[in-house]
Amino acid sequence: MSKVELAKGVYWVGAIDWDLRYFHGYVTQRGSSYNSYLIVDEKVALIDTVKAPFVPELLSRIKEIIDLDKIDYLVSLHVENDHAGGIPAVLAACPNARLITSAPAGIKGLEAHFGPLEADLIKTGDILNLGTKSLHFVQTPMLHWPDNTMAFLPENGILFSSDAFGQHYASGIRFADEAPHEKLFHEAAKYYANIVMPYGAQTLKALDVAAKLAPKIIAPAHGLIWRDAKNIKQIAACYADWGAYKTKEKAVVVYDTMWGSTAQMATAITQAFIDNNIPVEKMALQQNHMSDVVVEMLEAKYAAIGSPTLNNNILPTVAAFLSYIKGLTPQGRVGLAFGSYGWSGQSPAQIQKAMQEMGWQTPLAPFKLVYRPKTEDLSSLQEAVKKLIE
Ligand code: FEO
């Protein structure tokens, strides 16, 4: 790929990871990119590096623009290895680059990974003067790590937003307005649901910051760059809704099954939502990865979760899913627990307890059926769904 210019003297120089399929628990069917940005002014700054194996790709892109010894600053906005993993190699290749990171979390995290480092430490309000351009720093802790920091380049209206507004989306294009709209926003939603969702309050704070800066371009650490006013408005509106945990009339039915009985219950529940005009997604955990289920749950008001009882417990697939969403903390949901059983039947109550621990409303008792559901059982389950909606 030839160099990509965001504005005069500001370049994307990152790397594209077409083959990435797994990102700490998240299945990334479309790969990802690690976005580094180069600002060439009287001083030259590189914002972030890339995952370590991609450093040669990063350096070759920089060398298309400028010699490596011309880089004055390496600005690390985030410690996680997909952006900071390349720091030791980049510092070795760029002998005049001075490391800049945030205090205290940035330097603490970098030194924990790489040992003692020489660095200039920045905090919110600090400005790095590059000559005609300048970088203004805003710390955005826990969006999604303690050290995440954004940098604003007011002379070009560019907000380097770190992980916020990203997507795991490998592509030959670099700008969001060049992408198929539905695919782009699906990947942005999947990224938010799986990475940012626990940090709703921090998201809303960052949105306030971004609104005051009124960026013309949002350059995230992953995926495509937002430069079209309509798209920027839409992704900001999405983040406002997602950060506030807003839900809409939508249901997700998530389950696993041993011999098909819990699957029959899931089918009956799904049909009940359809009959009551609630859009629904039925997602079996044998066929759907939990990171894809979570994106469907991002705005769904209703979540029906089902498991048969295995050895007095929830099936491991459903238990893993509950553990995953407990960490992601979707809030304000209405839950329904269900499952079939042979003799002990603990799992629906265990699922309901997990829902209550997440603060969800569970207006109905867990629904359990012995061995094979009878027609009348499924009818009463459908009546229960109707009550849940009412
Ligand atoms: Fe993309 Fe938190 O790293």
Side-chain angles (χ1 to χ4, degrees):
M1 188 185 290
S2 55
K3 66 187 177 191
V4 178
E5 200 167 23
L6 281 68
K8 193 168 165 40
V10 184
Y11 304 89
W12 175 88
V13 287
I16 302 174
D17 191 346
W18 295 94
D19 297 331
L20 184 77
R21 289 294 178 272
Y22 185 81
F23 188 89
H24 55 55
Y26 169 166
V27 171
T28 49
Q29 293 95 335
R30 290 201 172 97
S32 193
S33 70
Y34 314 114
N35 295 341
S36 299
Y37 299 97
L38 185 73
I39 304 170
V40 180
D41 198 12
E42 289 161 29
K43 295 283 185 182
V44 178
L46 176 66
I47 297 182
D48 283 326
T49 67
V50 293
K51 204 169 174 181
F54 291 84
V55 167
E57 190 175 329
L58 166 69
L59 295 180
S60 86
R61 283 212 169 86
I62 296 171
K63 282 191 272 187
E64 283 179 30
I65 301 163
I66 200 163
D67 289 339
L68 297 177
D69 60 7
K70 296 280 193 310
I71 295 177
D72 298 289
Y73 303 111
L74 169 53
V75 179
S76 170
L77 297 181
H78 184 25
V79 165
E80 197 166 5
N81 268 249
D82 44 342
H83 311 291
I87 283 179
V90 169
L91 285 175
C94 305
N96 300 314
R98 176 88 183 155
L99 181 63
I100 294 183
T101 184
S102 64
I107 189 65
K108 185 177 169 193
L110 291 180
E111 290 194 329
H113 282 87
F114 307 120
L117 289 164
E118 288 239 338
D120 291 338
L121 303 183
I122 49 95
K123 58 184 183 328
T124 294
D126 286 350
I127 298 171
L128 179 66
N129 207 323
L130 300 174
T132 66
K133 299 179 195 281
S134 53
L135 282 172
H136 298 232
F137 297 102
V138 183
Q139 290 170 289
T140 52
M142 298 318 298
L143 196 67
H144 65 135
W145 276 26
D147 60 281
N148 282 94
T149 301
M150 294 189 186
F152 187 56
L153 184 68
E155 294 80 9
N156 298 107
I158 303 174
L159 179 65
F160 300 98
S161 62
S162 192
D163 277 325
F165 306 110
Q167 327 95 48
H168 282 313
Y169 189 171
S171 175
I173 55 172
R174 293 270 47 84
F175 294 100
D177 47 286
E178 298 168 337
H181 193 261
E182 195 175 332
K183 201 192 252 191
L184 168 73
F185 276 86
H186 177 81
E187 290 306 329
K190 184 171 177 183
Y191 182 95
Y192 186 93
N194 283 279
I195 292 183
V196 190
M197 200 199 301
Y199 310 107
Q202 292 85 349
T203 297
L204 297 181
K205 261 191 219 164
L207 272 179
D208 275 351
V209 169
K212 281 182 194 124
L213 299 172
K216 291 195 191 99
I217 296 175
I218 298 178
H222 293 287
L224 305 184
I225 298 160
W226 308 89
R227 66 174 175 185
D228 170 84
K230 212 166 137 195
N231 272 340
I232 289 178
K233 199 171 162 194
Q234 187 174 347
I235 191 65
C238 287
Y239 265 59
D241 286 349
W242 299 337
Y245 300 96
K246 274 198 187 155
T247 58
K248 58 189 182 194
E249 291 293 308
K250 175 182 172 180
V252 182
V253 181
V254 192
Y255 66 98
D256 198 358
T257 194
M258 286 168 67
W259 296 106
S261 296
T262 301
Q264 281 184 41
M265 296 173 80
T267 301
I269 292 169
T270 303
Q271 188 59 47
F273 280 115
I274 294 167
D275 292 344
N276 287 281
N277 301 314
I278 304 287
V280 59
E281 294 290 335
K282 176 171 173 276
M283 304 193 84
L285 287 167
Q286 287 181 33
Q287 283 79 26
N288 294 281
H289 192 267
M290 55 190 175
S291 57
D292 288 316
V293 176
V294 162
V295 69
E296 294 301 335
M297 284 184 65
L298 179 58
E299 296 182 320
K301 179 174 174 185
Y302 305 101
I305 302 177
S307 170
T309 298
L310 175 71
N311 300 328
N312 303 323
N313 257 305
I314 306 168
L315 273 188
T317 41
V318 182
F321 174 72
L322 287 170
S323 166
Y324 191 56
I325 55 169
K326 199 172 170 187
L328 293 172
T329 68
Q331 295 177 15
R333 312 303 153 118
V334 179
L336 172 66
F338 66 96
S340 78
Y341 69 104
W343 51 96
S344 57
Q346 293 95 333
S347 68
Q350 292 169 351
I351 293 170
Q352 178 139 318
K353 186 166 177 269
M355 290 173 167
Q356 289 166 346
E357 284 167 1
M358 290 188 282
W360 295 8
Q361 292 177 56
T362 52
L364 304 180
F367 207 97
K368 61 180 186 176
L369 293 176
V370 66
Y371 285 123
R372 306 300 290 175
K374 299 182 192 67
T375 307
E376 58 270 28
D377 294 331
L378 294 177
S379 298
S380 39
L381 180 52
Q382 292 186 315
E383 275 306 305
V385 172
K386 195 173 170 199
K387 265 193 219 150
L388 188 84
I389 296 163
E390 285 165 2

